[in-house]
Amino acid sequence: EIMPSLVGSEMCIRDRSMVERTITDAIMVNPRAENVRDFQFTWEGDQMHVTFKVKGSNWDEEIEISL
């Protein structure tokens, strides 16, 4: 369930940006990581859920991760 009062709000956008940057920075520290992309966010009450794709430099395909 997405909370309409949060979606599109300044706080929501700031939080999404911070989470995306933190995850990307943490993964890209590994020299075998090629990219992190396609972040999708949903909210259930006060919980944020994020799904994104990661590709390693020697991988044929990306994997999708949900937190």
Side-chain angles (χ1 to χ4, degrees), residues 27-67:
I27 292 172
M28 294 307 294
V29 166
N30 187 324
R32 296 173 292 182
E34 188 174 304
N35 66 51
V36 182
R37 64 186 192 94
D38 294 344
F39 284 84
Q40 297 177 13
F41 294 87
T42 57
W43 285 261
E44 291 182 28
D46 62 351
Q47 295 181 8
M48 175 191 289
H49 300 273
V50 60
T51 300
F52 55 93
K53 294 180 181 176
V54 177
K55 179 152 185 340
S57 58
N58 295 324
W59 302 355
D60 292 332
E61 297 183 21
E62 294 176 318
I63 61 168
E64 186 170 275
I65 298 174
S66 294
L67 304 172

